[in-house]
């Protein structure tokens, strides 16, 4: 949220985006952010990860999507108007501004908190009513209000991510980036996504909750590389690691001046305008213009073409830029052998922790021990902490009993949470960061007797989960093509869910990773590729009643099929997550024989992979919860296995 720089405007508005982009003084690009950068939450009370707040002289509104409607209703105060994005008749932020502001107003934004694309889109949209977009660099209004109570920025140390987990050394990764620079006639690329910096330099940090990243920027040139970071976060071993790779250090705040220096040199810059903030790109463009004037040349300004799969550059004499997706984005999403091995190993340890947890929780609930949603989440953390290589959770655990499970991104607090009992469904979505991998899993259970309605809904969700898990598709298929597989069983009875079906997952990095996804949002044309990891998490949520979600992580692999139409490869999925799906909630009469076989085969695999890691009551619990749902379809005997 920003204030206008001038006080003579007849009316003003300020906006604050949900996921602010990079800033030398403010918030770098990351899904999760440090507490000192949670300006929207401080101002509005809304703590969801997606939302945009807009304030005018006499109005305040917040936009969020269907995942957070119920949460926003709970958290917003009466001063705020909730805008349910995507619902019929709900205006976008720019449409709303054009409607509520008289013609000719000035809308202020902090350019360090908006990507260049987002700023340009807003600028174009509000120009229809002759509004002016003002990039205010000098101060942040929320920070002024927050004052001394604002938390200090994090100063956590960075660490080297061992090559046995990273798989590829830093010089090789930098060489790969430089080959892309050469191919596109560029002199340098600005990397602002925190997970891209961490991946490229084989480093990790602790600046951001749930994500092993650190606040930084990286500029890779043809012969040099410069990391912009607080030097206090760089230990001797990390410094040695960087020096061996030929990476120099500069102060975190020096990023804009460095971009300006490159512009003055006439360097051709590769900029991902969807993530690099408006402050950096406008500084580059402005410096280019100044340099041209100094040289006495009258050239046209650098123009930005539409975001596309092919790099595009418009030259301005010797000064030019390429606006294209970061060359790191796709490379990071396709996991190498070491990253895949780490993900598989960490998921097995995570499965062991979850088996211990579910065994414990089922016993406690059956004994009517009073437990809140928060206490349950804390106990799960205790079990995970016992596993080798555990670092932290990969997101705030979603522990939702009954109606709270219908809040898609529900987060219980000690002051406002329910007790977990046996009268309704309990949804638990959780994950962990390990030294070698990142996990994300959701299970929905009932410790009593589920209603026929709950069983039908659960089974429909399970059918969608199975359909996606078994998908076979040609290479170059974008994820949105597969989304219908997960929804079709729900659609048959007029049900659906308001979130994507799958997101990318990093290897010991961000739990939500692009560019791939599986979603009804058909704008993402990124092809699913061998080596990518995605989640499979269809669900159903009955407001004020219950929520259901079943989530596994999947590795995309190449299949060896009898045919290869068109000479292309066909892809499918390999499961990474191995935790039982509660059979009690399945209405077997709705399942086909192949779906029954899938459940039984999955549970057999869970038993084979996880039981060697368990003993005692937990191993017994796993045996009971991986028995075939129909013995006639499978002849193997768990009794023989456990004997």
């Amino acid at each position: 949220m920003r204030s206008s720089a001038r006080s003579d405007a007849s009316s003003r508005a300020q906006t604050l985006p949900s996921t602010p982009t990079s800033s030398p003084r403010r918030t770098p690009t990351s899904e999760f952010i440090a507490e000192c950068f949670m300006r929207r939450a401080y101002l509005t009370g809304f703590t969801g990860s997606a939302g945009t707040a807009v304030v005018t002289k006499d109005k305040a509104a917040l936009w969020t999507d269907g995942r957070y409607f119920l949460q926003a209703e709970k958290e917003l105060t009466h001063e705020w108007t909730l805008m349910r994005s995507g619902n019929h008749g709900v205006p976008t932020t720019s449409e709303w501004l054009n409607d509520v502001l008289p013609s000719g107003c000035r809308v202020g934004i902090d350019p360090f908190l908006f990507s260049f694309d987002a700023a340009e889109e807003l600028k174009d949209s509000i120009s229809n009513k002759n509004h002016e977009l003002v990039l205010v660099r000098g101060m942040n209004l929320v920070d002024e209000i927050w004052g001394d109570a604002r938390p200090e920025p994090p100063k956590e140390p960075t660490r080297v991510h061992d090559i046995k987990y990273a798989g590829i050394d830093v010089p090789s990764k930098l060489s790969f980036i430089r080959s892309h620079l050469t191919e596109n006639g560029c002199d340098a690329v600005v990397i602002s996504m925190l997970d891209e910096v961490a991946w490229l330099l084989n480093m990790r940090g602790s600046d951001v909750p749930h994500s092993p990243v650190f606040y930084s920027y990286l500029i890779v040139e043809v012969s040099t590389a410069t990391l912009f970071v607080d030097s206090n976060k760089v230990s001797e071993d990390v410094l040695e690691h960087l020096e061996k790779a030929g990476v120099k250090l500069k102060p975190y705040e020096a990023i804009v001046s460095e971009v300006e220096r490159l512009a003055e040199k006439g360097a051709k810059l590769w900029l991902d305008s969807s993530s690099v903030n408006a402050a950096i790109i406008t500084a580059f463009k402005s410096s280019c213009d100044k340099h041209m004037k100094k040289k006495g040349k009258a050239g046209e300004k650098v123009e930005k073409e539409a975001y596309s799969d092919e790099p595009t550059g418009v030259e301005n004499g010797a000064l030019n830029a390429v606006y294209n997706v970061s060359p790191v984005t796709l490379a990071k999403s396709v996991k190498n052998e070491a990253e895949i091995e780490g993900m598989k190993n960490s998921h097995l340890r995570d499965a062991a922790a979850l088996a211990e947890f579910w065994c414990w929780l089922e016993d406690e609930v059956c004994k009517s021990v009073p437990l809140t949603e928060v206490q349950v989440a804390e106990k799960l953390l205790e079990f995970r902490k016992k596993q080798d290589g555990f670092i932290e959770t990969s997101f705030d655990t979603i522990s939702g009993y009954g109606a709270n499970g219908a809040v898609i991104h529900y987060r219980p607090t000690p002051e406002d949470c329910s007790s977990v009992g046996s009268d309704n469904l309990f949804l638990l979505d959780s994950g962990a960061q390990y030294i070698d991998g990142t996990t994300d899993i959701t299970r929905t259970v009932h410790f009593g007797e589920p209603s026929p309605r709950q069983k039908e809904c659960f089974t429909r969700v399970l059918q969608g989960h199975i359909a996606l898990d078994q998908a076979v598709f040609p290479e170059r298929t974008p994820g949105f093509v597969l989304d219908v597989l997960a929804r079709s069983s729900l659609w048959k009875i007029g049900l659906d869910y308001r979130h994507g079906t799958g997101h990318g997952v990093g290897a010991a990095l961000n739990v939500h990773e692009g560019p791939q996804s599986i979603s009804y949002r058909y704008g993402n044309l990124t092809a699913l590729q061998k080596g990518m990891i995605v989640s499979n998490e269809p669900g159903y949520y009955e407001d004020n009643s219950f929520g259901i979600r079943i989530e596994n992580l999947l590795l995309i692999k190449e299949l060896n099929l009898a045919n290869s139409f068109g000479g292309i490869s066909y892809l499918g999925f390999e499961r990474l997550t191995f935790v039982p799906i509660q059979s009690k909630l399945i209405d077997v009469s709705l399942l086909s024989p192949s779906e029954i076989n899938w459940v039984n085969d999955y549970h057999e695999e869970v038993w084979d992979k996880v039981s060697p890691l368990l003993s005692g009551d937990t191993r017994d619990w796993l045996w009971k919860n991986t028995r075939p749902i129909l013995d006639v379809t499978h002849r193997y005997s768990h009794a023989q296995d456990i004997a």
Side-chain angles (χ1 to χ4, degrees):
M1 178 167 293
R2 295 293 300 172
S3 64
S4 174
R6 285 172 49 183
S7 60
D8 59 346
S10 60
S11 184
R12 299 190 295 271
Q14 301 90 38
T15 62
L16 179 69
S18 58
T19 308
T21 54
S22 315
S23 160
R25 302 187 304 276
R26 303 180 180 100
T27 315
T29 307
S30 177
E31 175 189 5
F32 302 110
I33 56 177
E35 188 179 1
C36 63
F37 298 126
M38 296 179 180
R39 298 183 178 94
R40 192 203 59 231
Y42 165 75
L43 191 70
T44 70
F46 173 63
T47 59
S49 66
T52 300
V54 183
V55 178
T56 70
K57 278 186 173 181
D58 54 4
K59 292 181 175 63
L62 180 131
W63 281 255
T64 191
D65 61 46
R67 296 171 296 170
Y68 296 103
F69 289 168
L70 294 180
Q71 181 177 341
E73 288 173 4
K74 283 186 174 183
E75 295 181 338
L76 289 178
T77 60
H78 69 276
E79 292 94 348
W80 291 88
T81 300
L82 173 59
M83 297 291 185
R84 295 172 176 81
S85 297
N87 278 8
H88 179 70
V90 176
T92 63
T93 53
S94 56
E95 289 170 343
W96 185 81
L97 285 168
N98 286 337
D99 182 54
V100 303
L101 295 179
S103 178
C105 289
R106 308 176 77 231
V107 178
I109 66 168
D110 185 336
F112 290 101
L113 303 184
F114 281 73
S115 71
F116 181 73
D117 281 354
E120 288 294 289
E121 181 181 357
L122 180 59
K123 176 183 176 181
D124 292 342
S125 299
I126 64 175
S127 66
N128 296 331
K129 290 288 293 287
N130 297 317
H131 299 317
E132 177 189 359
L133 184 67
V134 181
L135 305 184
V136 186
R137 293 180 173 86
M139 52 88 78
N140 184 290
L141 182 58
V142 176
D143 292 350
E144 295 295 311
I145 300 170
W146 212 339
D148 294 339
R150 184 187 177 206
E152 289 293 318
K155 299 184 182 297
E156 300 298 325
T158 56
R159 57 183 169 86
V160 176
H161 187 55
D162 198 286
I163 188 66
K164 68 182 177 182
Y165 306 129
I168 303 173
D169 61 29
V170 179
S172 298
K173 291 180 178 181
L174 291 175
S175 178
F176 168 80
I177 298 303
R178 287 169 177 145
S179 68
H180 278 262
L181 291 177
T182 302
E183 289 172 8
N184 292 279
C186 291
D187 300 300
V189 59
V190 177
I191 308 296
S192 65
M193 297 290 286
L194 299 189
D195 61 333
E196 292 188 3
V197 176
W199 179 86
L200 192 55
L201 297 182
N202 288 348
M203 290 173 60
R204 297 295 188 266
S206 305
D207 282 353
V208 176
H210 313 300
S211 296
V213 296
F214 51 98
Y215 289 144
S216 57
Y217 293 95
L218 181 67
I219 293 181
V220 180
E221 299 179 63
V222 173
S223 58
T224 64
T226 305
L227 175 65
F228 299 82
V229 67
D230 181 350
S231 60
N232 292 324
K233 298 178 182 179
V234 181
S235 62
E236 287 298 323
D237 62 326
V238 173
L239 184 60
E240 181 182 356
H241 166 76
L242 292 171
E243 287 176 344
K244 285 182 179 179
V247 180
K248 301 182 298 182
L249 292 183
K250 282 194 175 182
Y252 181 49
E253 296 78 10
I255 180 65
V256 172
S257 60
E258 183 68 12
V259 167
E260 291 172 337
R261 184 189 68 80
L262 289 170
E264 291 169 3
K265 285 176 54 180
K268 184 175 183 179
L269 235 56
W270 183 321
L271 297 165
D272 186 341
S273 55
S274 69
S275 61
V276 177
N277 65 49
I280 288 177
I281 294 184
T282 54
F284 175 73
K285 289 161 69 72
S286 177
S287 293
C288 285
D289 290 343
K290 290 177 182 177
H291 183 64
M292 287 298 294
K293 289 177 181 178
K294 285 181 181 179
K295 296 183 67 173
K297 295 182 178 180
E300 295 181 354
K301 290 182 179 179
V302 179
E303 295 180 357
K304 178 188 176 302
E305 293 193 0
Y307 194 91
S308 64
D309 291 335
E310 295 298 325
T312 60
V314 181
E315 296 193 3
N316 180 13
L319 306 172
N320 47 79
V322 165
Y323 294 93
N324 193 34
V325 65
S326 165
V328 181
T329 302
L330 188 60
K332 176 172 59 63
S333 70
V334 178
K335 310 302 185 280
N336 60 52
E337 290 183 6
E339 290 173 324
I340 291 172
E341 181 181 3
M343 289 293 279
K344 289 182 176 180
N345 291 337
S346 61
H347 274 77
L348 290 180
R349 300 197 304 276
D350 201 54
L354 282 157
E356 289 186 290
F357 163 79
W358 285 116
C359 176
W360 166 83
L361 181 58
E362 184 176 294
D363 184 58
E364 295 293 285
V365 174
C366 288
K367 291 188 296 187
S368 299
V369 176
L371 289 168
T372 68
E373 296 162 331
V374 170
Q375 290 172 322
V376 168
E378 290 173 344
K379 190 66 177 182
L380 173 57
L381 179 59
E382 288 182 24
F383 285 116
R384 278 194 164 118
K385 282 181 176 179
K386 294 191 298 182
Q387 294 298 321
D388 291 341
F390 175 83
I391 297 174
E392 62 177 330
T393 55
S394 56
F395 55 93
D396 283 322
T397 297
I398 300 170
S399 173
Y401 179 72
N404 291 336
V407 181
I408 296 172
H409 279 195
Y410 173 71
R411 185 179 69 177
T413 62
E415 300 77 25
D416 182 21
C417 66
S418 299
S419 294
V420 177
S422 58
D423 296 329
N424 208 334
L425 294 174
F426 174 58
L427 185 153
L428 187 79
D429 187 349
S430 68
Q433 294 286 2
Y434 293 93
I435 192 72
D436 52 348
T438 303
T439 70
D440 183 3
I441 172 176
T442 309
R443 288 294 182 266
T444 306
V445 302
H446 199 302
F447 295 115
E449 284 301 319
S451 69
R453 169 72 173 178
Q454 290 172 335
K455 292 181 67 172
E456 179 184 19
C457 293
F458 182 91
T459 306
R460 297 281 179 178
V461 171
L462 175 61
Q463 287 176 307
H465 182 94
I466 293 172
L468 182 58
D469 178 274
Q470 294 184 313
V472 175
F473 49 96
E475 60 179 335
R476 299 192 293 273
T477 298
F480 79 85
V481 173
L482 305 183
D483 185 74
V484 64
L485 297 175
R487 298 180 192 271
S488 60
S489 293
L490 287 164
W491 286 354
K492 289 176 182 177
I493 58 171
L495 300 181
D496 204 348
Y497 51 96
R498 294 190 185 102
H499 59 74
T501 299
H503 57 82
V505 180
L509 261 178
N510 288 358
V511 72
H512 293 143
E513 176 182 85
Q516 74 275 19
S517 69
I518 300 173
S519 173
Y520 58 90
R521 300 178 180 92
Y522 51 82
N524 187 351
L525 300 178
T526 302
L528 300 179
Q529 296 187 29
K530 174 185 175 183
M532 287 180 171
I533 293 173
V534 295
S535 65
N536 173 8
E537 50 182 311
Y540 173 67
Y541 312 91
E542 203 146 285
D543 289 356
N544 304 309
S545 185
F546 61 83
I548 296 167
R549 185 159 64 250
I550 304 171
E551 177 185 18
N552 284 351
L553 297 193
L554 304 172
L555 170 68
I556 301 175
K557 64 178 182 179
E558 187 174 346
L559 301 179
N560 183 19
L561 303 179
N563 302 292
S564 179
F565 183 80
I568 63 174
S569 299
Y570 279 75
L571 306 174
F573 296 116
E574 177 182 345
R575 289 181 291 275
L576 298 176
T577 308
F578 296 102
V579 175
I581 296 168
Q582 193 179 53
S583 300
K584 178 196 296 186
L585 278 167
I586 301 174
D587 183 346
V588 179
S589 68
L590 294 175
L591 298 183
S592 68
S594 65
E595 289 169 334
I596 292 172
N597 284 335
W598 184 95
V599 174
N600 291 336
D601 289 343
Y602 176 66
H603 282 156
E604 182 177 13
E605 190 175 13
V606 169
W607 171 257
D608 290 342
K609 289 180 178 293
V610 183
S611 62
L613 306 178
L614 305 175
S615 61
D617 291 343
T618 302
R619 195 168 188 263
D620 292 342
W621 176 90
L622 189 71
W623 172 73
K624 293 174 185 176
N625 283 275
T626 54
R627 286 180 297 176
I629 55 176
L630 282 182
D631 288 331
V632 295
T633 65
H634 250 60
R635 294 183 179 179
Y636 74 90
S637 170
H638 281 293
Q640 292 177 351
D641 291 335
I642 202 169

